[in-house]
Amino acid sequence: MPELYIGLISGTSIDGIDAALVDFSGPHIRLVGFEYLPYPADLKAAIAHISVADALIPLKDYGTLDMQLGCLFANAANSLLDKARFPATAIRAIGSHGQTVYHAPNGGSPFTLQIGDPNLIAERTGITTIADFRRRDLAVNGQGAPLVPAFHQAVFSEIGVARCIANIGGIGNITVLPADNQSPVIGFDTGPGNILMDQWIARHQGKPYDADGAWARTGQIQAGLLEKWREDAYFQATPPKSTGKEYFSLPWLEQQTPLAAYRTEDIQASLCALTALTLADAIRHYAPGTGQAIICGGGAHNGYLLELLAQYLPCPVQSSEAFGIHPDHVEAMAFAWLARQTLQHLPGNLKEVTGADKTVVLGGIYPAC
């Protein structure tokens, strides 16, 4: 009998909802179905607005958006089940990451906030829903992120092979999988993934992203800009560490750069190089013995970014698809896996990754009635 879970996530790029139907019954985790539900333009704008640092948001607007997203996450799960031809009763649970609107793990009152009401998801799907995964890790003094390295360990580790998983969403992060199973897995956010490139092309060309890095290819990488950007305190900080679009955004870029002094395409090329170089810096420093770099997330579709990564790294750079999982599916599958961990009362965090005092069972459970 299949052991089916659904994972739901919308990442920092705020493009839409990924929904994965995953079977855990066999010796290998298997994707059964996948659905992507793009956000309408007005909803995407509302999420972007509420996510701005120091934004003043009426509670009515916050509550409305939480409800709207809960309904959309439920719709994504139901659409996935319709296409896969499985009834809700066949699914053990949904793991919903929700939509991060603010991530502030440092300071005197650390917090992280994901919205998308899980009560609505459970009610509208008829499936037990597990959500709010990150705050339990914060409660034991962790960063609340990244959480996906535990799943990377479960599906990509191989004894005798040193691997590094680079997930390039809005934010970039790495998971270092040692060749032996005695050494701890480490992982952390390396800095911007696609977020700065997406925001820059949206401002100047009205496009949501730079397809295949085509616009970046037309520019010239500015070595002086790269050197200045890499001096930022985040890149110098030691892990565990995590970040978000609250930090790496166009205001950060404007503070760092005399933008009028450069061609817009040169800025784009340099931002692409910043993502590649900071990922490569992290891998070379914290995983010098890496034999394989496995790329997942939306950045895996940016051919220019992958070319730069291959230039900066001494090891082969390959898409996660070569290892059995499409790069667009990894994170949603991870939250299906995390939901299963929760129902089995097993920890979902890696304390060496998040900096938590201990491993803990993550998430709140919203039973189906």
Side-chain angles (χ1 to χ4, degrees), residues 103-106 110-113 133-145 349 354 356 360 362:
H103 183 66
N106 302 308
F111 73 96
T112 187
L113 182 60
F133 288 93
R134 298 191 183 276
R135 292 198 295 175
R136 187 58 181 270
D137 184 79
L138 279 165
V140 289
N141 299 313
Q143 292 270 314
N349 64 333
T354 67
V360 286
L362 303 177

mmCIF file with all atom_site columns, all heavy atoms in Angstrom, residues 103-106 110-113 133-145 349 354 356 360 362:
data_model
loop_
_atom_site.group_PDB
_atom_site.id
_atom_site.type_symbol
_atom_site.label_atom_id
_atom_site.label_alt_id
_atom_site.label_comp_id
_atom_site.label_asym_id
_atom_site.label_entity_id
_atom_site.label_seq_id
_atom_site.pdbx_PDB_ins_code
_atom_site.Cartn_x
_atom_site.Cartn_y
_atom_site.Cartn_z
_atom_site.occupancy
_atom_site.B_iso_or_equiv
_atom_site.pdbx_formal_charge
_atom_site.auth_seq_id
_atom_site.auth_comp_id
_atom_site.auth_asym_id
_atom_site.auth_atom_id
_atom_site.pdbx_PDB_model_num
ATOM 1   N N   . HIS A 1 103 ? 11.295 37.055 7.980  1.00 0.00 ? 103 HIS A N   1
ATOM 2   C CA  . HIS A 1 103 ? 12.202 36.117 8.652  1.00 0.00 ? 103 HIS A CA  1
ATOM 3   C C   . HIS A 1 103 ? 13.273 36.936 9.366  1.00 0.00 ? 103 HIS A C   1
ATOM 4   O O   . HIS A 1 103 ? 14.084 37.597 8.730  1.00 0.00 ? 103 HIS A O   1
ATOM 5   C CB  . HIS A 1 103 ? 12.841 35.167 7.636  1.00 0.00 ? 103 HIS A CB  1
ATOM 6   C CG  . HIS A 1 103 ? 13.731 34.131 8.255  1.00 0.00 ? 103 HIS A CG  1
ATOM 7   N ND1 . HIS A 1 103 ? 13.261 33.145 9.088  1.00 0.00 ? 103 HIS A ND1 1
ATOM 8   C CD2 . HIS A 1 103 ? 15.086 33.948 8.181  1.00 0.00 ? 103 HIS A CD2 1
ATOM 9   C CE1 . HIS A 1 103 ? 14.264 32.386 9.481  1.00 0.00 ? 103 HIS A CE1 1
ATOM 10  N NE2 . HIS A 1 103 ? 15.383 32.858 8.951  1.00 0.00 ? 103 HIS A NE2 1
ATOM 11  N N   . ALA A 1 104 ? 13.229 36.934 10.686 1.00 0.00 ? 104 ALA A N   1
ATOM 12  C CA  . ALA A 1 104 ? 14.153 37.737 11.498 1.00 0.00 ? 104 ALA A CA  1
ATOM 13  C C   . ALA A 1 104 ? 14.671 36.875 12.651 1.00 0.00 ? 104 ALA A C   1
ATOM 14  O O   . ALA A 1 104 ? 14.218 37.011 13.790 1.00 0.00 ? 104 ALA A O   1
ATOM 15  C CB  . ALA A 1 104 ? 13.458 38.987 12.018 1.00 0.00 ? 104 ALA A CB  1
ATOM 16  N N   . PRO A 1 105 ? 15.609 35.968 12.367 1.00 0.00 ? 105 PRO A N   1
ATOM 17  C CA  . PRO A 1 105 ? 16.044 35.004 13.378 1.00 0.00 ? 105 PRO A CA  1
ATOM 18  C C   . PRO A 1 105 ? 17.054 35.545 14.383 1.00 0.00 ? 105 PRO A C   1
ATOM 19  O O   . PRO A 1 105 ? 17.403 34.834 15.327 1.00 0.00 ? 105 PRO A O   1
ATOM 20  C CB  . PRO A 1 105 ? 16.668 33.898 12.541 1.00 0.00 ? 105 PRO A CB  1
ATOM 21  C CG  . PRO A 1 105 ? 17.231 34.628 11.356 1.00 0.00 ? 105 PRO A CG  1
ATOM 22  C CD  . PRO A 1 105 ? 16.265 35.737 11.072 1.00 0.00 ? 105 PRO A CD  1
ATOM 23  N N   . ASN A 1 106 ? 17.534 36.764 14.177 1.00 0.00 ? 106 ASN A N   1
ATOM 24  C CA  . ASN A 1 106 ? 18.565 37.311 15.054 1.00 0.00 ? 106 ASN A CA  1
ATOM 25  C C   . ASN A 1 106 ? 17.997 38.449 15.898 1.00 0.00 ? 106 ASN A C   1
ATOM 26  O O   . ASN A 1 106 ? 16.910 38.955 15.645 1.00 0.00 ? 106 ASN A O   1
ATOM 27  C CB  . ASN A 1 106 ? 19.742 37.813 14.210 1.00 0.00 ? 106 ASN A CB  1
ATOM 28  C CG  . ASN A 1 106 ? 20.335 36.706 13.343 1.00 0.00 ? 106 ASN A CG  1
ATOM 29  O OD1 . ASN A 1 106 ? 20.667 35.632 13.834 1.00 0.00 ? 106 ASN A OD1 1
ATOM 30  N ND2 . ASN A 1 106 ? 20.429 36.953 12.042 1.00 0.00 ? 106 ASN A ND2 1
ATOM 31  N N   . PRO A 1 110 ? 13.852 37.120 18.320 1.00 0.00 ? 110 PRO A N   1
ATOM 32  C CA  . PRO A 1 110 ? 13.848 36.485 16.993 1.00 0.00 ? 110 PRO A CA  1
ATOM 33  C C   . PRO A 1 110 ? 12.484 35.894 16.653 1.00 0.00 ? 110 PRO A C   1
ATOM 34  O O   . PRO A 1 110 ? 11.784 35.369 17.521 1.00 0.00 ? 110 PRO A O   1
ATOM 35  C CB  . PRO A 1 110 ? 14.914 35.399 17.117 1.00 0.00 ? 110 PRO A CB  1
ATOM 36  C CG  . PRO A 1 110 ? 15.019 35.120 18.574 1.00 0.00 ? 110 PRO A CG  1
ATOM 37  C CD  . PRO A 1 110 ? 14.717 36.402 19.275 1.00 0.00 ? 110 PRO A CD  1
ATOM 38  N N   . PHE A 1 111 ? 12.112 36.000 15.375 1.00 0.00 ? 111 PHE A N   1
ATOM 39  C CA  . PHE A 1 111 ? 10.857 35.377 14.936 1.00 0.00 ? 111 PHE A CA  1
ATOM 40  C C   . PHE A 1 111 ? 10.916 35.118 13.436 1.00 0.00 ? 111 PHE A C   1
ATOM 41  O O   . PHE A 1 111 ? 11.748 35.654 12.716 1.00 0.00 ? 111 PHE A O   1
ATOM 42  C CB  . PHE A 1 111 ? 9.655  36.272 15.266 1.00 0.00 ? 111 PHE A CB  1
ATOM 43  C CG  . PHE A 1 111 ? 9.524  37.492 14.397 1.00 0.00 ? 111 PHE A CG  1
ATOM 44  C CD1 . PHE A 1 111 ? 8.691  37.481 13.283 1.00 0.00 ? 111 PHE A CD1 1
ATOM 45  C CD2 . PHE A 1 111 ? 10.224 38.650 14.693 1.00 0.00 ? 111 PHE A CD2 1
ATOM 46  C CE1 . PHE A 1 111 ? 8.575  38.611 12.471 1.00 0.00 ? 111 PHE A CE1 1
ATOM 47  C CE2 . PHE A 1 111 ? 10.103 39.784 13.895 1.00 0.00 ? 111 PHE A CE2 1
ATOM 48  C CZ  . PHE A 1 111 ? 9.281  39.760 12.781 1.00 0.00 ? 111 PHE A CZ  1
ATOM 49  N N   . THR A 1 112 ? 10.017 34.261 13.002 1.00 0.00 ? 112 THR A N   1
ATOM 50  C CA  . THR A 1 112 ? 9.805  34.018 11.584 1.00 0.00 ? 112 THR A CA  1
ATOM 51  C C   . THR A 1 112 ? 8.317  33.869 11.385 1.00 0.00 ? 112 THR A C   1
ATOM 52  O O   . THR A 1 112 ? 7.609  33.341 12.254 1.00 0.00 ? 112 THR A O   1
ATOM 53  C CB  . THR A 1 112 ? 10.579 32.773 11.104 1.00 0.00 ? 112 THR A CB  1
ATOM 54  O OG1 . THR A 1 112 ? 10.478 32.664 9.688  1.00 0.00 ? 112 THR A OG1 1
ATOM 55  C CG2 . THR A 1 112 ? 10.068 31.495 11.748 1.00 0.00 ? 112 THR A CG2 1
ATOM 56  N N   . LEU A 1 113 ? 7.799  34.349 10.268 1.00 0.00 ? 113 LEU A N   1
ATOM 57  C CA  . LEU A 1 113 ? 6.357  34.390 10.074 1.00 0.00 ? 113 LEU A CA  1
ATOM 58  C C   . LEU A 1 113 ? 5.983  33.855 8.699  1.00 0.00 ? 113 LEU A C   1
ATOM 59  O O   . LEU A 1 113 ? 6.388  34.396 7.680  1.00 0.00 ? 113 LEU A O   1
ATOM 60  C CB  . LEU A 1 113 ? 5.852  35.833 10.221 1.00 0.00 ? 113 LEU A CB  1
ATOM 61  C CG  . LEU A 1 113 ? 4.342  36.054 10.104 1.00 0.00 ? 113 LEU A CG  1
ATOM 62  C CD1 . LEU A 1 113 ? 3.586  35.271 11.173 1.00 0.00 ? 113 LEU A CD1 1
ATOM 63  C CD2 . LEU A 1 113 ? 4.023  37.541 10.222 1.00 0.00 ? 113 LEU A CD2 1
ATOM 64  N N   . PHE A 1 133 ? 6.258  25.048 10.655 1.00 0.00 ? 133 PHE A N   1
ATOM 65  C CA  . PHE A 1 133 ? 7.410  24.197 10.942 1.00 0.00 ? 133 PHE A CA  1
ATOM 66  C C   . PHE A 1 133 ? 8.576  24.964 11.563 1.00 0.00 ? 133 PHE A C   1
ATOM 67  O O   . PHE A 1 133 ? 9.333  24.397 12.359 1.00 0.00 ? 133 PHE A O   1
ATOM 68  C CB  . PHE A 1 133 ? 7.906  23.536 9.645  1.00 0.00 ? 133 PHE A CB  1
ATOM 69  C CG  . PHE A 1 133 ? 6.998  22.464 9.116  1.00 0.00 ? 133 PHE A CG  1
ATOM 70  C CD1 . PHE A 1 133 ? 6.014  22.763 8.185  1.00 0.00 ? 133 PHE A CD1 1
ATOM 71  C CD2 . PHE A 1 133 ? 7.121  21.154 9.547  1.00 0.00 ? 133 PHE A CD2 1
ATOM 72  C CE1 . PHE A 1 133 ? 5.179  21.777 7.681  1.00 0.00 ? 133 PHE A CE1 1
ATOM 73  C CE2 . PHE A 1 133 ? 6.289  20.156 9.059  1.00 0.00 ? 133 PHE A CE2 1
ATOM 74  C CZ  . PHE A 1 133 ? 5.311  20.468 8.122  1.00 0.00 ? 133 PHE A CZ  1
ATOM 75  N N   . ARG A 1 134 ? 8.748  26.214 11.207 1.00 0.00 ? 134 ARG A N   1
ATOM 76  C CA  . ARG A 1 134 ? 10.002 26.896 11.543 1.00 0.00 ? 134 ARG A CA  1
ATOM 77  C C   . ARG A 1 134 ? 10.079 27.387 12.989 1.00 0.00 ? 134 ARG A C   1
ATOM 78  O O   . ARG A 1 134 ? 11.156 27.464 13.569 1.00 0.00 ? 134 ARG A O   1
ATOM 79  C CB  . ARG A 1 134 ? 10.229 28.062 10.579 1.00 0.00 ? 134 ARG A CB  1
ATOM 80  C CG  . ARG A 1 134 ? 10.366 27.597 9.134  1.00 0.00 ? 134 ARG A CG  1
ATOM 81  C CD  . ARG A 1 134 ? 10.845 28.706 8.213  1.00 0.00 ? 134 ARG A CD  1
ATOM 82  N NE  . ARG A 1 134 ? 10.907 28.255 6.838  1.00 0.00 ? 134 ARG A NE  1
ATOM 83  C CZ  . ARG A 1 134 ? 11.912 27.597 6.297  1.00 0.00 ? 134 ARG A CZ  1
ATOM 84  N NH1 . ARG A 1 134 ? 12.981 27.296 7.026  1.00 0.00 ? 134 ARG A NH1 1
ATOM 85  N NH2 . ARG A 1 134 ? 11.886 27.226 5.024  1.00 0.00 ? 134 ARG A NH2 1
ATOM 86  N N   . ARG A 1 135 ? 8.942  27.740 13.588 1.00 0.00 ? 135 ARG A N   1
ATOM 87  C CA  . ARG A 1 135 ? 9.012  28.408 14.893 1.00 0.00 ? 135 ARG A CA  1
ATOM 88  C C   . ARG A 1 135 ? 9.437  27.489 16.027 1.00 0.00 ? 135 ARG A C   1
ATOM 89  O O   . ARG A 1 135 ? 9.986  27.952 17.031 1.00 0.00 ? 135 ARG A O   1
ATOM 90  C CB  . ARG A 1 135 ? 7.668  29.078 15.211 1.00 0.00 ? 135 ARG A CB  1
ATOM 91  C CG  . ARG A 1 135 ? 7.387  30.258 14.280 1.00 0.00 ? 135 ARG A CG  1
ATOM 92  C CD  . ARG A 1 135 ? 6.331  31.175 14.835 1.00 0.00 ? 135 ARG A CD  1
ATOM 93  N NE  . ARG A 1 135 ? 5.036  30.523 14.920 1.00 0.00 ? 135 ARG A NE  1
ATOM 94  C CZ  . ARG A 1 135 ? 3.962  31.098 15.467 1.00 0.00 ? 135 ARG A CZ  1
ATOM 95  N NH1 . ARG A 1 135 ? 4.042  32.315 15.977 1.00 0.00 ? 135 ARG A NH1 1
ATOM 96  N NH2 . ARG A 1 135 ? 2.816  30.454 15.478 1.00 0.00 ? 135 ARG A NH2 1
ATOM 97  N N   . ARG A 1 136 ? 9.222  26.178 15.883 1.00 0.00 ? 136 ARG A N   1
ATOM 98  C CA  . ARG A 1 136 ? 9.668  25.281 16.955 1.00 0.00 ? 136 ARG A CA  1
ATOM 99  C C   . ARG A 1 136 ? 11.193 25.246 17.016 1.00 0.00 ? 136 ARG A C   1
ATOM 100 O O   . ARG A 1 136 ? 11.785 25.139 18.099 1.00 0.00 ? 136 ARG A O   1
ATOM 101 C CB  . ARG A 1 136 ? 9.103  23.872 16.746 1.00 0.00 ? 136 ARG A CB  1
ATOM 102 C CG  . ARG A 1 136 ? 9.380  22.913 17.914 1.00 0.00 ? 136 ARG A CG  1
ATOM 103 C CD  . ARG A 1 136 ? 8.798  23.453 19.236 1.00 0.00 ? 136 ARG A CD  1
ATOM 104 N NE  . ARG A 1 136 ? 9.068  22.571 20.352 1.00 0.00 ? 136 ARG A NE  1
ATOM 105 C CZ  . ARG A 1 136 ? 8.259  21.572 20.724 1.00 0.00 ? 136 ARG A CZ  1
ATOM 106 N NH1 . ARG A 1 136 ? 7.139  21.337 20.064 1.00 0.00 ? 136 ARG A NH1 1
ATOM 107 N NH2 . ARG A 1 136 ? 8.577  20.823 21.766 1.00 0.00 ? 136 ARG A NH2 1
ATOM 108 N N   . ASP A 1 137 ? 11.842 25.333 15.856 1.00 0.00 ? 137 ASP A N   1
ATOM 109 C CA  . ASP A 1 137 ? 13.298 25.393 15.838 1.00 0.00 ? 137 ASP A CA  1
ATOM 110 C C   . ASP A 1 137 ? 13.781 26.694 16.484 1.00 0.00 ? 137 ASP A C   1
ATOM 111 O O   . ASP A 1 137 ? 14.752 26.692 17.248 1.00 0.00 ? 137 ASP A O   1
ATOM 112 C CB  . ASP A 1 137 ? 13.805 25.290 14.406 1.00 0.00 ? 137 ASP A CB  1
ATOM 113 C CG  . ASP A 1 137 ? 15.323 25.261 14.328 1.00 0.00 ? 137 ASP A CG  1
ATOM 114 O OD1 . ASP A 1 137 ? 15.907 24.192 14.582 1.00 0.00 ? 137 ASP A OD1 1
ATOM 115 O OD2 . ASP A 1 137 ? 15.923 26.308 14.020 1.00 0.00 ? 137 ASP A OD2 1
ATOM 116 N N   . LEU A 1 138 ? 13.099 27.802 16.213 1.00 0.00 ? 138 LEU A N   1
ATOM 117 C CA  . LEU A 1 138 ? 13.445 29.067 16.869 1.00 0.00 ? 138 LEU A CA  1
ATOM 118 C C   . LEU A 1 138 ? 13.273 28.975 18.378 1.00 0.00 ? 138 LEU A C   1
ATOM 119 O O   . LEU A 1 138 ? 14.021 29.584 19.134 1.00 0.00 ? 138 LEU A O   1
ATOM 120 C CB  . LEU A 1 138 ? 12.579 30.202 16.325 1.00 0.00 ? 138 LEU A CB  1
ATOM 121 C CG  . LEU A 1 138 ? 13.015 30.821 14.997 1.00 0.00 ? 138 LEU A CG  1
ATOM 122 C CD1 . LEU A 1 138 ? 11.899 31.656 14.407 1.00 0.00 ? 138 LEU A CD1 1
ATOM 123 C CD2 . LEU A 1 138 ? 14.249 31.684 15.198 1.00 0.00 ? 138 LEU A CD2 1
ATOM 124 N N   . ALA A 1 139 ? 12.279 28.199 18.811 1.00 0.00 ? 139 ALA A N   1
ATOM 125 C CA  . ALA A 1 139 ? 12.021 28.066 20.247 1.00 0.00 ? 139 ALA A CA  1
ATOM 126 C C   . ALA A 1 139 ? 13.165 27.387 20.984 1.00 0.00 ? 139 ALA A C   1
ATOM 127 O O   . ALA A 1 139 ? 13.299 27.542 22.207 1.00 0.00 ? 139 ALA A O   1
ATOM 128 C CB  . ALA A 1 139 ? 10.719 27.293 20.471 1.00 0.00 ? 139 ALA A CB  1
ATOM 129 N N   . VAL A 1 140 ? 13.992 26.640 20.263 1.00 0.00 ? 140 VAL A N   1
ATOM 130 C CA  . VAL A 1 140 ? 15.169 26.016 20.890 1.00 0.00 ? 140 VAL A CA  1
ATOM 131 C C   . VAL A 1 140 ? 16.439 26.700 20.379 1.00 0.00 ? 140 VAL A C   1
ATOM 132 O O   . VAL A 1 140 ? 17.487 26.078 20.218 1.00 0.00 ? 140 VAL A O   1
ATOM 133 C CB  . VAL A 1 140 ? 15.208 24.486 20.664 1.00 0.00 ? 140 VAL A CB  1
ATOM 134 C CG1 . VAL A 1 140 ? 14.117 23.809 21.482 1.00 0.00 ? 140 VAL A CG1 1
ATOM 135 C CG2 . VAL A 1 140 ? 15.056 24.135 19.176 1.00 0.00 ? 140 VAL A CG2 1
ATOM 136 N N   . ASN A 1 141 ? 16.299 28.005 20.128 1.00 0.00 ? 141 ASN A N   1
ATOM 137 C CA  . ASN A 1 141 ? 17.431 28.882 19.793 1.00 0.00 ? 141 ASN A CA  1
ATOM 138 C C   . ASN A 1 141 ? 18.067 28.599 18.439 1.00 0.00 ? 141 ASN A C   1
ATOM 139 O O   . ASN A 1 141 ? 19.246 28.889 18.231 1.00 0.00 ? 141 ASN A O   1
ATOM 140 C CB  . ASN A 1 141 ? 18.490 28.845 20.898 1.00 0.00 ? 141 ASN A CB  1
ATOM 141 C CG  . ASN A 1 141 ? 17.940 29.319 22.228 1.00 0.00 ? 141 ASN A CG  1
ATOM 142 O OD1 . ASN A 1 141 ? 17.282 30.360 22.286 1.00 0.00 ? 141 ASN A OD1 1
ATOM 143 N ND2 . ASN A 1 141 ? 18.169 28.562 23.288 1.00 0.00 ? 141 ASN A ND2 1
ATOM 144 N N   . GLY A 1 142 ? 17.283 28.031 17.517 1.00 0.00 ? 142 GLY A N   1
ATOM 145 C CA  . GLY A 1 142 ? 17.767 27.857 16.156 1.00 0.00 ? 142 GLY A CA  1
ATOM 146 C C   . GLY A 1 142 ? 17.389 29.031 15.282 1.00 0.00 ? 142 GLY A C   1
ATOM 147 O O   . GLY A 1 142 ? 16.690 29.952 15.715 1.00 0.00 ? 142 GLY A O   1
ATOM 148 N N   . GLN A 1 143 ? 17.842 28.988 14.034 1.00 0.00 ? 143 GLN A N   1
ATOM 149 C CA  . GLN A 1 143 ? 17.531 30.030 13.072 1.00 0.00 ? 143 GLN A CA  1
ATOM 150 C C   . GLN A 1 143 ? 16.161 29.816 12.404 1.00 0.00 ? 143 GLN A C   1
ATOM 151 O O   . GLN A 1 143 ? 15.664 30.698 11.725 1.00 0.00 ? 143 GLN A O   1
ATOM 152 C CB  . GLN A 1 143 ? 18.603 30.055 11.977 1.00 0.00 ? 143 GLN A CB  1
ATOM 153 C CG  . GLN A 1 143 ? 19.974 30.517 12.443 1.00 0.00 ? 143 GLN A CG  1
ATOM 154 C CD  . GLN A 1 143 ? 20.132 32.020 12.315 1.00 0.00 ? 143 GLN A CD  1
ATOM 155 O OE1 . GLN A 1 143 ? 19.796 32.606 11.293 1.00 0.00 ? 143 GLN A OE1 1
ATOM 156 N NE2 . GLN A 1 143 ? 20.658 32.647 13.352 1.00 0.00 ? 143 GLN A NE2 1
ATOM 157 N N   . GLY A 1 144 ? 15.598 28.618 12.578 1.00 0.00 ? 144 GLY A N   1
ATOM 158 C CA  . GLY A 1 144 ? 14.352 28.303 11.879 1.00 0.00 ? 144 GLY A CA  1
ATOM 159 C C   . GLY A 1 144 ? 14.558 27.995 10.410 1.00 0.00 ? 144 GLY A C   1
ATOM 160 O O   . GLY A 1 144 ? 13.607 27.710 9.685  1.00 0.00 ? 144 GLY A O   1
ATOM 161 N N   . ALA A 1 145 ? 15.799 28.028 9.966  1.00 0.00 ? 145 ALA A N   1
ATOM 162 C CA  . ALA A 1 145 ? 16.134 27.810 8.556  1.00 0.00 ? 145 ALA A CA  1
ATOM 163 C C   . ALA A 1 145 ? 17.638 27.553 8.445  1.00 0.00 ? 145 ALA A C   1
ATOM 164 O O   . ALA A 1 145 ? 18.401 27.989 9.313  1.00 0.00 ? 145 ALA A O   1
ATOM 165 C CB  . ALA A 1 145 ? 15.747 29.038 7.716  1.00 0.00 ? 145 ALA A CB  1
ATOM 166 N N   . ASN A 1 349 ? 14.425 18.971 12.265 1.00 0.00 ? 349 ASN A N   1
ATOM 167 C CA  . ASN A 1 349 ? 15.535 19.909 12.093 1.00 0.00 ? 349 ASN A CA  1
ATOM 168 C C   . ASN A 1 349 ? 16.868 19.206 12.299 1.00 0.00 ? 349 ASN A C   1
ATOM 169 O O   . ASN A 1 349 ? 16.946 18.146 12.936 1.00 0.00 ? 349 ASN A O   1
ATOM 170 C CB  . ASN A 1 349 ? 15.413 21.079 13.069 1.00 0.00 ? 349 ASN A CB  1
ATOM 171 C CG  . ASN A 1 349 ? 15.515 20.629 14.529 1.00 0.00 ? 349 ASN A CG  1
ATOM 172 O OD1 . ASN A 1 349 ? 15.189 19.498 14.868 1.00 0.00 ? 349 ASN A OD1 1
ATOM 173 N ND2 . ASN A 1 349 ? 15.970 21.523 15.384 1.00 0.00 ? 349 ASN A ND2 1
ATOM 174 N N   . THR A 1 354 ? 20.786 24.535 11.834 1.00 0.00 ? 354 THR A N   1
ATOM 175 C CA  . THR A 1 354 ? 20.043 25.721 12.277 1.00 0.00 ? 354 THR A CA  1
ATOM 176 C C   . THR A 1 354 ? 20.653 26.389 13.505 1.00 0.00 ? 354 THR A C   1
ATOM 177 O O   . THR A 1 354 ? 20.288 27.513 13.834 1.00 0.00 ? 354 THR A O   1
ATOM 178 C CB  . THR A 1 354 ? 18.581 25.357 12.602 1.00 0.00 ? 354 THR A CB  1
ATOM 179 O OG1 . THR A 1 354 ? 18.547 24.492 13.748 1.00 0.00 ? 354 THR A OG1 1
ATOM 180 C CG2 . THR A 1 354 ? 17.908 24.676 11.417 1.00 0.00 ? 354 THR A CG2 1
ATOM 181 N N   . ALA A 1 356 ? 20.222 25.157 16.512 1.00 0.00 ? 356 ALA A N   1
ATOM 182 C CA  . ALA A 1 356 ? 19.325 24.887 17.635 1.00 0.00 ? 356 ALA A CA  1
ATOM 183 C C   . ALA A 1 356 ? 20.047 24.134 18.746 1.00 0.00 ? 356 ALA A C   1
ATOM 184 O O   . ALA A 1 356 ? 21.042 23.451 18.514 1.00 0.00 ? 356 ALA A O   1
ATOM 185 C CB  . ALA A 1 356 ? 18.119 24.080 17.151 1.00 0.00 ? 356 ALA A CB  1
ATOM 186 N N   . VAL A 1 360 ? 14.221 18.681 17.364 1.00 0.00 ? 360 VAL A N   1
ATOM 187 C CA  . VAL A 1 360 ? 12.850 18.697 17.877 1.00 0.00 ? 360 VAL A CA  1
ATOM 188 C C   . VAL A 1 360 ? 11.879 18.264 16.776 1.00 0.00 ? 360 VAL A C   1
ATOM 189 O O   . VAL A 1 360 ? 12.179 18.349 15.590 1.00 0.00 ? 360 VAL A O   1
ATOM 190 C CB  . VAL A 1 360 ? 12.446 20.103 18.382 1.00 0.00 ? 360 VAL A CB  1
ATOM 191 C CG1 . VAL A 1 360 ? 13.120 20.432 19.705 1.00 0.00 ? 360 VAL A CG1 1
ATOM 192 C CG2 . VAL A 1 360 ? 12.754 21.172 17.349 1.00 0.00 ? 360 VAL A CG2 1
ATOM 193 N N   . LEU A 1 362 ? 8.841  19.123 14.626 1.00 0.00 ? 362 LEU A N   1
ATOM 194 C CA  . LEU A 1 362 ? 8.440  20.432 14.123 1.00 0.00 ? 362 LEU A CA  1
ATOM 195 C C   . LEU A 1 362 ? 6.954  20.477 13.776 1.00 0.00 ? 362 LEU A C   1
ATOM 196 O O   . LEU A 1 362 ? 6.349  19.474 13.422 1.00 0.00 ? 362 LEU A O   1
ATOM 197 C CB  . LEU A 1 362 ? 9.243  20.776 12.856 1.00 0.00 ? 362 LEU A CB  1
ATOM 198 C CG  . LEU A 1 362 ? 10.762 20.791 12.964 1.00 0.00 ? 362 LEU A CG  1
ATOM 199 C CD1 . LEU A 1 362 ? 11.370 21.070 11.597 1.00 0.00 ? 362 LEU A CD1 1
ATOM 200 C CD2 . LEU A 1 362 ? 11.236 21.819 13.986 1.00 0.00 ? 362 LEU A CD2 1
#
